């Protein structure tokens, strides 16, 4: 029995492509999609494979003085080209920047925490997003000592990277990897270390550079996260997942310590709105923007076979739709003239496929919304190269191809298979692709069966997929949610980045008062006959909770 909720593997934006794929693994043939990009059947190798506006204009000088200042500025900046073209490939590196003048109205230090929560070349885009964010902040005047970077750091030197030592985040983009601090990499990219960094508590760290956010009461903090997600969770390359309740508790603790003035969070992940829906207070001086609502996916972009396409040698997506929207928006604006709200409005349009939502997602806002009137440079810094850029000069008409984040790994594997020449290598990639599809089908079918066993064949599916009213968190008992995840993974195997889509089902099991013993029995019945491969054993990969 295959998945019952079929969606296109990916679509073009213009025109939308809406043919449904066949994701069933048959004995003789594996069909990935009926899209024009993935339309060939793959033979299996054996039958067993299935604020505040605070710009100070010199105390409001007379018009002649303002004119004189503008003329002087024209002379000083006339020799440098400015980025007015939406598709200008140039990303200015920190070594090319001109140091900004100190703003007498600004107090405190700017801090930033950048998190790429995945690993593997198929997830190239998350680390590319984060590296691009670093370059943006560095050009804006933030110092390395105040920027903390989390990323697995396995992309730049990966065997599949056609440009060794280089990471790009735009089809014609320059390297964004050079100079990025290696604060927390590999096994040190963990929830525990992230929380320790945010709290400024070095005692809680395990590995890494030891750098933490040692902020003071007048400081501002910018946090950007890019990865996979599910209802109530964000992914990390090392288990466990980041759970919403734990994250909000850390933000509350940080606020109680009085060690920051204001904080802005940008979160890119599927169902990222569910991290804050119903549980994010509005009195912490924190403004949050998420790539998607509590019940929808986020999207990868700059992918092979799409427009705009990456360079021909790339077999993976270069960025994420929400992330490149805000990053390229900041690249092309004078952030001393742009408010948080200005950016939100532009990014919302681009991320939603120009308000059509044929693909794309609803960009959401949580927390202290009064902060939206503040200028962006207070968090992302100010690059003098943007000083003469006009306000709101940004091309919003360009449509972009995109793929559901959860299917980007299939696109990556398909591209590998299609381009591989050696028969042995093709068979190995095909085996991995087949196993990935089979594990996806196993997860979907197991959750469906468990729902029927626990809640009955008539009510099970609807209860598992029930969406709570706006303003309520995905689950009331977060410890129950973690417990249910552990029980499921023990019997049925690791959720993986794809299986995070089922977190709502687990939450609804808790919301319906199902006891742990009943969940254990149902999982045993549903999964006891299934053989779990090593790559999906939680005892090896680690539990998601």
């Amino acid at each position: 029995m295959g998945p019952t909720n079929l969606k296109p593997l990916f679509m073009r934006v213009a025109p939308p492509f809406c043919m449904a794929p066949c994701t069933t693994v048959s004995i003789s043939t594996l069909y990935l999609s009926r899209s024009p990009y993935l339309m060939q059947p793959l033979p299996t190798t054996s039958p067993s494979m299935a604020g505040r506006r605070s710009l100070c204009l010199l105390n409001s000088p007379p018009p002649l003085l303002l004119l004189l200042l503008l003329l002087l500025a024209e002379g000083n900046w006339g020799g440098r080209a400015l980025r007015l073209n939406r598709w200008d490939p140039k990303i200015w590196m920190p070594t090319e920047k001109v140091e900004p003048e100190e703003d007498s109205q600004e107090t405190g230090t700017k801090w930033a925490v950048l998190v790429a929560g995945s690993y593997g070349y198929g997830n190239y885009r998350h680390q590319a997003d984060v590296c691009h964010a670093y370059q943006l902040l560095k050009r804006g005047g933030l110092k390395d000592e105040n920027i903390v970077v989390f990323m697995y750091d396995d992309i730049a030197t990966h065997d599949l990277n056609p440009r060794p030592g280089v990471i790009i985040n735009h089809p014609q983009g320059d390297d964004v990897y050079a100079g990025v601090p290696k604060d927390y990499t590999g096994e040190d990219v963990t929830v525990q270390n992230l929380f320790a960094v945010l709290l400024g508590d070095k005692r809680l760290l395990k590995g890494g550079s030891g750098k933490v956010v040692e902020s003071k009461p007048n400081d501002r903090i910018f946090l950007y996260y890019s990865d996979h997600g599910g209802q109530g969770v964000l992914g990390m390359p090392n288990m466990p997942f980041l759970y919403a309740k734990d994250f909000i508790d850390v933000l509350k603790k940080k606020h109680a310590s009085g060690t920051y003035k204001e904080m802005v969070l940008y979160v890119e992940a599927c169902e990222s709105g569910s991290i804050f829906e119903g549980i994010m207070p509005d009195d912490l001086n924190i403004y949050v923007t998420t790539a998607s609502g509590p019940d929808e996916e986020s999207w990868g972009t700059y992918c092979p076979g799409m427009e705009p396409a990456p360079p021909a040698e790339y077999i993976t997506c270069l960025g994420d739709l929400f992330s490149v929207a805000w990053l390229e928006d900041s690249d092309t604006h004078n952030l001393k003239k742009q408010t948080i709200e200005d950016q939100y409005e532009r990014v919302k349009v681009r991320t939603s496929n120009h308000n059509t939502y044929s693909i794309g997602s609803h960009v959401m806002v949580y927390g202290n919304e009064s902060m939206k009137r503040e200028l962006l440079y207070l968090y992302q810094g100010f690059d003098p190269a943007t000083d003469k850029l006009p306000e709101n000069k940004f091309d919003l008409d360009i449509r972009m191809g995109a793929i559901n984040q959860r299917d980007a790994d299939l696109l990556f594997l398909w591209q590998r298979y299609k381009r591989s020449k050696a028969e042995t290598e093709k068979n190995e990639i095909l085996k991995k692709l087949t196993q990935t599809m089979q594990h996806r089908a196993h997860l979907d079918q197991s959750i469906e069966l468990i729902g029927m066993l626990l809640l009955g064949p008539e009510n099970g599916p609807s209860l598992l997929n029930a969406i709570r009213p706006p303003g309520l968190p995905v689950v009331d008992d977060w410890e129950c949610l973690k417990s249910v995840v552990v029980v499921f993974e023990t019997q049925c195997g690791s959720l993986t980045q794809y299986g995070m889509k089922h977190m709502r089902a687990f939450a609804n099991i808790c919301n319906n008062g199902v006891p742990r013993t009943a969940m254990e029995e149902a999982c045993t019945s549903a999964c006891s006959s299934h053989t779990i491969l090593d790559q999906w054993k939680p005892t090896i990969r680690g539990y998601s909770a």
Side-chain angles (χ1 to χ4, degrees), residues 195-422:
F195 288 173
V197 165
L198 287 172
L199 293 173
D201 193 342
K202 295 184 178 182
R203 299 168 301 175
L204 300 177
L205 291 172
K206 289 186 178 180
S209 68
K211 190 193 299 183
V212 298
V213 177
E214 297 179 288
S215 51
K216 302 297 188 293
N218 285 327
D219 295 353
R220 289 180 169 89
I221 304 171
F222 177 70
L223 186 152
Y224 167 55
Y225 171 98
S226 179
D227 186 32
H228 295 279
Q231 291 87 358
V233 295
L234 296 174
M236 291 295 270
N238 303 287
M239 296 294 104
F241 294 154
L242 184 156
Y243 282 75
K245 179 64 163 54
D246 299 333
F247 185 41
I248 301 302
D249 285 346
V250 167
L251 296 180
K252 290 178 179 177
K253 188 174 181 179
K254 182 70 174 179
H255 180 260
S257 70
T259 54
Y260 71 94
K261 182 175 184 178
E262 291 167 324
M263 189 186 306
V264 167
L265 277 58
Y266 283 12
V267 182
E268 168 88 66
C270 290
E271 289 91 25
S272 46
S274 67
I275 304 299
F276 307 97
E277 184 74 31
I279 58 173
M280 179 66 193
D282 60 7
D283 59 354
L284 301 183
N285 288 338
I286 298 176
Y287 174 95
V288 181
T289 296
T290 66
S292 59
D295 315 305
E296 59 184 356
E297 293 86 359
S298 64
W299 299 75
T301 194
Y302 299 147
C303 305
M306 300 182 188
E307 290 295 336
E313 66 270 25
Y314 283 85
I315 60 174
T316 188
C317 303
L318 303 182
D320 293 288
L321 193 57
F322 165 80
S323 292
V324 300
W326 81 259
L327 285 162
E328 293 174 7
D329 182 72
S330 290
D331 283 337
T332 54
H333 283 86
N334 178 343
L335 301 188
K336 283 194 173 184
K337 297 180 180 179
Q338 301 299 309
T339 65
I340 294 172
E341 184 176 24
D342 292 334
Q343 182 158 93
Y344 164 76
E345 293 295 339
R346 290 189 298 270
V347 170
K348 179 177 66 172
V349 171
R350 191 173 174 192
T351 307
S352 67
N353 188 21
H354 304 267
N355 297 319
T356 67
Y357 299 98
S358 57
I359 67 165
S361 54
H362 295 75
V363 178
M364 306 295 288
V365 173
Y366 300 92
N368 184 354
E369 295 192 37
S370 68
M371 290 171 57
K372 66 186 180 183
R373 294 185 292 273
E374 294 196 345
L375 295 169
L376 275 171
Y377 89 99
L378 294 172
Y379 301 92
Q380 298 177 19
F382 170 68
D383 178 5
T386 67
D387 184 53
K388 294 194 297 180
L389 290 182
E391 293 188 29
N392 302 318
K393 195 69 174 179
F394 195 70
D395 189 348
L396 294 174
D397 295 329
I398 295 175
R399 267 52 175 175
M400 296 174 64
I403 183 171
N404 185 316
Q405 277 237 48
R406 293 196 175 99
D407 291 330
D409 62 330
L410 298 183
L411 174 62
F412 161 66
L413 288 171
W414 169 246
Q415 289 290 330
R416 282 194 67 190
Y417 177 84
K418 192 169 62 171
R419 302 186 191 195
S420 179
K421 304 300 182 183

Side-chain angles (χ1 to χ4, degrees), residues 37 60 99 149 155 209 232 238 361 411 457 482 485 502 511:
Y37 306 108
S60 301
E99 291 295 332
V149 179
I155 301 303
S209 68
N238 303 287
S361 54
L411 174 62
K482 294 179 183 179
V485 168
H502 293 300
N511 294 336

Side-chain angles (χ1 to χ4, degrees), residues 141-195:
L142 275 73
K143 301 176 181 178
D144 280 352
E145 65 194 61
N146 302 123
I147 305 175
V148 187
V149 179
F150 287 79
M151 67 177 188
Y152 207 81
D153 197 28
D154 60 338
I155 301 303
T157 58
H158 199 283
D159 291 343
L160 295 174
N161 188 3
R163 303 179 187 179
V166 171
I167 294 177
I168 61 175
N169 193 221
H170 182 280
Q172 289 82 46
D174 289 338
D175 178 28
V176 293
Y177 182 68
V180 177
K182 311 293 178 60
D183 293 311
Y184 299 90
T185 62
E187 296 182 354
D188 298 330
V189 185
T190 63
V191 173
Q192 179 177 333
N193 281 344
L194 175 58
F195 288 173

